[in-house]
Amino acid sequence: MPEPMHIRNLQLDFGARTYVMGIVNMTPDSFSGDGLLAAGDPVRAAMAQAQRMVAEGADIIDVGGDSTRPGHESVDTAEEVSRVTAVVAGNRASMPGLPISIDTSKPDVAAAALGAGADIVNDVTGVTAGAALAPIAAAHGAPYIVMHDRAVPADDDVVAETVADLRQALVQAEAHGCDRWSLIVDPGIGFGKTAEQNLVLLRNLSALRELGRPVLLGTSRKSTIGKVLELPEDERLEGTLATTALGIAAGVDIVRVHDVVANVRTARMSDAIIRGGWTEPQP
């Protein structure tokens, strides 16, 4: 069992319960339709969304300024920095104890967000770029989330390849200065994998436990759910909740979601069944 991790005023006691990470997208074109950049005052809208998510039970907020939807062209560093730093700084000022994650693949964006008050680096290219953001996370003493992606989708055993790729990325992150206790892995559902491979990986999430690190699962509104259920992005809540519950049964520690209330309730019920520890209050 991974050892506890302290971030701001949150002690992540992995194994005791599941933690919920709320998604704040500072983009105009998020695949899930929740990009806030088109709002009249995007920073105010993002801060309001983060505050609502915390009130709904989110433990961590993940701020991103560059879409990862298929076919999207990445924005330049300066634009991404301008999208995320004001949101990070505003939320840090209004919610001093809130753990904030920066979702990026760019070193300068990660550094700017950490400087503005972010606590965690969430690297969507952790595998494909060889844990390139690890030195920045290490320099700030920040937890580092290593996500799995592939330039070429796996042809054979997607589970074995995902575990092997993540293991290598963990070695690279440690070589770049990260302490092992600060590393979190993400199997990268929807990244460099077919829908069938995503389902195989979801069926075998417990294989990630052999890495000895906390596991983050990000399936919220993903296209695999849409393909299986034949539903658009805004009708994939139930499918997402199924992956949350089954992920917790497989040992997932953090779920990254758009719909906080429903996922918090699903996580708490799943924890009561899977992890135990719940007792009925005495009158």
Side-chain angles (χ1 to χ4, degrees):
M1 184 69 62
E3 62 275 20
M5 183 183 298
H6 185 77
I7 307 172
R8 293 276 167 180
N9 68 343
L10 179 64
Q11 179 81 2
L12 281 73
D13 187 5
F14 301 114
R17 73 175 180 92
T18 306
Y19 297 89
V20 175
M21 174 185 281
I23 301 168
V24 176
N25 278 322
M26 292 302 295
T27 63
D29 54 357
S30 168
F31 83 91
S32 62
D34 66 329
L36 295 170
L37 201 64
D41 187 339
V43 173
R44 184 185 296 274
M47 290 179 60
Q49 178 173 304
Q51 290 167 355
R52 173 178 55 80
M53 286 179 163
V54 170
E56 292 173 345
D59 302 292
I60 305 165
I61 295 298
D62 190 46
V63 179
D66 193 6
S67 176
T68 56
R69 66 180 175 83
H72 172 74
E73 290 189 11
S74 182
V75 300
D76 64 36
T77 297
E79 172 64 18
E80 189 175 345
V81 167
S82 71
R83 290 181 180 183
V84 301
T85 51
V87 174
V88 170
N91 281 309
R92 172 58 58 237
S94 64
M95 295 181 284
L98 172 68
I100 301 173
S101 170
I102 178 64
D103 178 3
T104 188
S105 61
K106 299 182 180 70
D108 288 347
V109 175
L114 290 168
D119 307 286
I120 307 165
V121 176
N122 184 8
D123 185 359
V124 297
T125 59
V127 165
T128 52
L133 301 189
I136 295 165
H140 287 79
Y144 181 47
I145 301 170
V146 181
M147 197 199 78
H148 184 271
D149 192 4
R150 292 183 62 87
V152 179
D155 293 322
D156 300 316
D157 190 337
V158 67
V159 178
E161 291 192 26
T162 298
V163 172
D165 290 346
L166 285 169
R167 180 179 286 110
Q168 177 61 24
L170 291 174
V171 170
Q172 293 169 322
E174 288 190 74
H176 287 317
C178 287
D179 290 326
R180 184 169 178 77
W181 64 264
S182 71
L183 302 175
I184 298 168
V185 296
D186 176 350
I189 300 299
F191 288 83
K193 306 169 186 73
T194 65
E196 291 85 355
Q197 288 170 337
N198 288 325
L199 291 173
V200 170
L201 193 50
L202 286 167
R203 193 177 306 129
N204 293 276
L205 284 172
S206 59
L208 297 176
R209 304 310 306 179
E210 70 182 70
L211 296 170
R213 303 309 313 138
V215 178
L216 182 150
L217 181 64
T219 57
S220 186
R221 305 182 186 174
K222 289 287 179 72
S223 63
T224 294
I225 296 171
K227 290 177 180 178
V228 171
L229 300 179
E230 299 182 351
L231 291 172
E233 292 89 344
D234 61 351
E235 295 184 32
R236 297 175 185 172
L237 175 58
E238 295 89 350
T240 298
L241 299 179
T243 64
T244 294
L246 293 171
I248 292 168
V252 163
D253 301 288
I254 305 169
V255 289
R256 180 179 180 273
V257 303
H258 299 86
D259 304 287
V260 171
V261 169
N263 278 280
V264 166
R265 292 174 179 172
T266 300
R268 298 297 169 261
M269 191 67 216
S270 300
D271 283 344
I273 298 168
I274 302 300
R275 305 187 194 276
W278 183 87
T279 57
E280 188 169 2
Q282 297 301 310

